[in-house]
Amino acid sequence: MNKNKLETGQGFIRKWEEKQLYKAEENKNNKKYILIEFPYPSGERLHVGHARSYCCLDAVARWLRMKGSNVLFPFGWDAFGLPAENYAIKTGVHPSVTTRENIDNSSKQAKDWGLSFDWSREINTTDPGYYKWTQWIFVQMFKKGLAYKAEIPVNWCPSCKINQANEEVIDGKCERCGTPVTRRNQSQWLLAITKYADRLLDGLKTVNYRSDIAAQQVNWIGRKEGAQIRFKILTQSTLREQNSNDKYLEAFTTRIDTLFGVTFVVIAPEVADTLAEMVPESRKEEVKEYIRAALNKSERERKQKKENTGVDTGLVAENPADGKKIPVWVAEYVMTDVGTGVVMGVPAHDARDLEFARTFKLPVIPVIEAGRSGELYEGEGKLVNSGRYNGMDSILARRQMTKDGLGKSSVTYHLRDWVFSRQHYWGEPIPMIECKKCGWVPVPENQLPVKLPEVEKYLPTDTGESPLAHIEEWVNTTCPNCGGPAERETDTMPNWAGSSWYFLRFCDPHNDNQLADKKKLKYWLPVDLYNGGMEHTTLHLLYSRFWHKFLFDIGVVPIPEPFDKRTSHGVILGSDNRKMSKSRGNVINPDEIVSKYGADTLRMYEMFIGPFEQTVVWSIESLEGVYRFLKRIRVLAEGTGHKSGSEEAGSKLAELAVRIGRDLEVMKFNTAVAAMMEFANWWGEHKAEMGIDEARDFIKILAPMAPFMAEELWQRLNGESDKKMFVSVHQQGWPESTVVRDFNITVTLAVQVNGKVRALMESHKADEEERVREKALQLENVRKYTEGKKCKVIFVPGKVINFVISDD
RNA sequence: GCCGGGGUGGCGAAAUGGUAGACGCAAGGGCCUUAAGAGCCCUCGGUCCAAAAGACCAUGCGAGUUCGAGUCUCGCCCCCGGCACCA
């Protein structure tokens, strides 16, 4: 065998498969469900970023199996998506063909890396047997009123010809191509995720997500408590008499306590549009012109901070607190989808309002006592200029004024309902039929799945209709309700649909009668550990929690939260410290690493590269360090001749097993690898202390991280009978049951005087303080400082002894 | 502005309040080899010192708690990620 090369281990992969070492079944205690986000099967194959998450979690899964857990570690493909569709547009090759090919290639990669997936549970979101249930869930949501169609302004990418959810628009630009999105009105399916906002928030308290992930979700949901306040619009007629047709402007505020300081009301152009007819003639033209100009701007232009613009509508509103008449303005800075699109202007206590008031010379009335007068004060304090609330603390006043009916307590969210329609081919058809008589009717469940029909042209249309709209014989159908002529929905679901419930399907992937058997769900759920990209925190992770909660509500899943622990891996940058990309030429191909250094080198380097959650930089030199380590332990293991080694070696190994276990548990993969290296260094210096028994323990500990090398060495050190049977190292138990014997292990103790280390001293772990003290005081460099002085002694066994010289 | 995470050698980084820099890389020196590759051994935060011993300095800055602080507390500075004309 070539000593400079690690085998890729095809032989082992086959044997492990034959033995079905990684198959998960529902018949044992102590289940663990370990999940990594399933990938999109792209033509680029799996990259080193995938490998990081997969290899690290694979080590956890393997370790848990050795500890006796029944581990479900499944894999699949989130295969609907744009690249396959774009490829089809270019070449005419059906996306399912491209997808199949990509899946085959990527599967081979995953197997080459030694990932211990249970392949019998492999799923694919584009499989009709799978998306049948994606559609089924949509129908259930429709039945419960959570899926609805509405004409709404959507984010439209003029290049991709696709509508996007707010979550998909990054910095005003299309997530896919970077073109600035524009707003346009289109009839879209929406999912009412906002109805679950509070529960998505509360649920976070019951799970163990990493704190930054939970915080980001809280942020995104953006719950704000405040009050809605009705400002009556005074017109010529209402000024004269009470009128049941009174018009009101409803503003949302978190600071109802500043209500007496309101000196104007500002409304968003979209809101103003609906009031245009009430505007007095003298101002009508100017106001309409302003609104028109504002509505023509893109979302991005609108949000670009610049000069204050706005126009007085000439309308007058009444402050419900004191009946004061205040002007109604319209201004671009007020967004229609934030709060109610109506802002009460309190320039004394809000920076944005103050700016506006200064620009347009509107009055400023302070109503919260601040340190100095005449300046902006946004904090809490005592109320002034506020009638009977004067002197009251602002926090108290908020409660009291709401109680007194000046406003209605109300909650707003940053979270919006989920725009669920896409005008693309390669997605799940939305299983709905529109009948002129009956309206929207879901496809009956026994007719699911609504399969994607073949099309000639994959290109979306300029009108924004899906390519499916071209296929008349598919579009035209009969109403399941009345049998009359009807049309199918031609939009498809977004990418996020199939991934919103796949973790459930893994529990029962071949079930034709339901999305998953409830007993199996009950056995496997929740996912104990779910790892994925940080970029999915506000998208996939929130969507899938929402779907799960809905399925819980209709009794399909047994628990309200799908994932117990959620973690996230950091991005791997190219060695030039920049994001890996083809155009920069800094992409590392994991397959090349595997063929040159072996899969174990890739695996252990991915673990060693840095703290798991942190962004890291790829370094080929550092990878070679791992490679050297693996070659070295092979030499060490092969050089082991005698059967049993020393007690100290045994004890060190037991300690190592505990340490590695602890590191894998808290996902400190880098220090786990370091601990293995540290042990190997010790081994190199104490070869006589390591016998075959000890070497075998070491190999077991190595097995989760480097399964190929461990198997190779295990087979070599195995007895003849085991060799014949091929008993795998991956069937062995974790060796930490060996008690760490606390016998006279020598430790180096730090001897301090007044907290400064003055000497090091050999000692035994079990040594008593008195013995250590006497010995330490003999040391010259200690005697030098302590001689003839009174000392207080602080002794930490095995660590430190500190002589603190008293002053007297 | 709000929320979250950070700041430690030439570099990636370690460190339940207890020897700061484990482990790896790079660098320097040596061995082996005809050579290359691979491997093996030694040195490796700074200052003082010929060197050793030893002393002092050192975990973004400044205080504090403690016998003892990279770690805890308070006040700053800077970097990264998320959100934001958010009412």
Side-chain angles (χ1 to χ4, degrees), chain A residues 398-687:
Chain A
R398 281 207 277 279
R399 221 173 307 147
Q400 193 57 48
M401 289 163 92
T402 309
K403 219 169 164 188
D404 294 348
L406 294 180
K408 199 175 77 199
S409 77
S410 157
V411 176
T412 63
Y413 301 90
H414 172 254
L415 186 70
R416 305 273 150 241
D417 275 350
W418 175 6
V419 179
F420 202 67
S421 294
R422 295 293 183 279
Q423 292 69 45
H424 273 280
Y425 173 70
W426 193 228
E428 302 89 343
I430 293 176
M432 296 296 295
I433 291 168
E434 190 176 27
C435 169
K436 290 219 168 57
K437 261 201 290 189
C438 311
W440 283 107
V441 181
V443 173
E445 289 173 25
N446 59 17
Q447 288 174 29
L448 295 177
V450 176
K451 284 197 190 164
L452 257 178
E454 299 285 324
V455 289
E456 277 162 31
K457 286 188 286 181
Y458 298 100
L459 204 61
T461 64
D462 287 333
T463 58
E465 268 186 310
S466 150
L468 294 181
H470 295 303
I471 318 172
E472 275 178 36
E473 65 274 24
W474 184 80
V475 173
N476 293 318
T477 182
T478 52
C479 173
N481 220 11
C482 68
E487 291 188 356
R488 286 185 191 279
E489 171 64 66
T490 58
D491 284 353
T492 52
M493 299 187 189
N495 275 77
W496 313 106
S499 59
S500 290
W501 71 282
Y502 75 112
F503 48 92
L504 301 174
R505 190 65 175 175
F506 278 139
C507 299
D508 191 10
H510 309 297
N511 196 325
D512 289 333
N513 303 315
Q514 47 189 328
L515 66 81
D517 179 81
K518 206 164 171 187
K519 270 199 221 101
K520 291 185 178 174
L521 290 173
K522 196 158 185 181
Y523 177 78
W524 287 115
L525 291 177
V527 174
D528 295 283
L529 173 58
Y530 186 24
N531 187 75
M534 210 54 202
E535 72 277 17
H536 292 139
T537 302
T538 53
L539 297 161
H540 160 65
L541 192 60
L542 205 57
Y543 293 153
S544 51
R545 290 182 59 223
F546 162 48
W547 278 37
H548 188 92
K549 284 187 177 302
F550 167 72
L551 292 171
F552 174 72
D553 288 350
I554 63 169
V556 174
V557 298
I559 53 167
E561 281 287 342
F563 317 120
D564 178 38
K565 193 168 160 190
R566 166 77 184 191
T567 56
S568 196
H569 55 276
V571 174
I572 301 180
L573 302 176
S575 47
D576 56 356
N577 223 323
R578 304 207 290 171
K579 215 179 152 199
M580 285 192 191
S581 81
K582 262 205 275 185
S583 59
R584 293 200 183 98
N586 61 353
V587 177
I588 301 293
N589 179 350
D591 301 339
E592 279 170 23
I593 301 291
V594 170
S595 65
K596 195 164 170 199
Y597 299 96
D600 286 338
T601 307
L602 175 73
R603 292 173 61 105
M604 280 194 106
Y605 178 59
E606 295 267 3
M607 292 181 199
F608 190 58
I609 190 166
F612 184 63
E613 66 285 351
Q614 202 169 293
T615 303
V616 289
V617 177
W618 186 269
S619 153
I620 197 73
E621 293 85 4
S622 212
L623 176 134
E624 277 172 1
V626 173
Y627 184 47
R628 279 198 276 272
F629 158 78
L630 284 167
K631 284 190 288 189
R632 212 163 140 227
I633 56 172
R634 172 152 64 192
V635 173
L636 286 169
E638 282 172 350
T640 314
H642 51 300
K643 179 121 179 36
S644 288
S646 72
E647 268 203 328
E648 185 172 4
S651 152
K652 278 184 97 75
L653 277 160
E655 239 173 315
L656 180 68
V658 171
R659 197 172 152 192
I660 299 292
R662 212 170 31 215
D663 280 351
L664 293 179
E665 175 106 54
V666 297
M667 308 188 76
K668 293 176 77 170
F669 303 103
N670 54 334
T671 52
V673 174
M676 297 303 288
M677 290 171 165
E678 205 179 327
F679 189 91
N681 289 343
W682 182 85
W683 187 350
E685 286 160 20
H686 302 82
K687 293 197 180 80

Side-chain angles (χ1 to χ4, degrees), chain A residues 124-189:
Chain A
N124 173 348
T125 55
T126 64
D127 177 351
Y130 179 88
Y131 70 67
K132 170 182 178 180
W133 299 106
T134 312
Q135 292 175 334
W136 182 86
I137 295 169
F138 181 89
V139 169
Q140 306 315 307
M141 286 196 162
F142 176 79
K143 287 181 177 168
K144 296 285 175 189
L146 290 169
Y148 62 97
K149 201 151 200 195
E151 179 90 13
I152 48 150
V154 293
N155 305 297
W156 167 256
C157 171
S159 167
C160 296
K161 292 171 181 166
I162 188 175
N163 292 320
Q164 299 194 319
N166 287 338
E167 287 86 333
E168 292 171 288
V169 178
I170 314 277
D171 197 21
K173 292 178 192 161
C174 172
E175 183 192 45
R176 297 181 168 81
C177 68
T179 309
V181 298
T182 58
R183 292 287 236 183
R184 72 186 226 177
N185 282 317
Q186 195 158 334
S187 181
Q188 302 284 306
W189 284 102

Side-chain angles (χ1 to χ4, degrees), chain A residues 342-371:
Chain A
V342 178
V343 173
M344 62 178 218
V346 189
H349 305 294
D350 181 279
R352 191 60 194 72
D353 295 347
L354 182 62
E355 238 177 84
F356 192 76
R358 282 186 178 151
T359 308
F360 297 107
K361 311 268 184 295
L362 295 163
V364 180
I365 306 173
V367 290
I368 309 277
E369 209 169 60

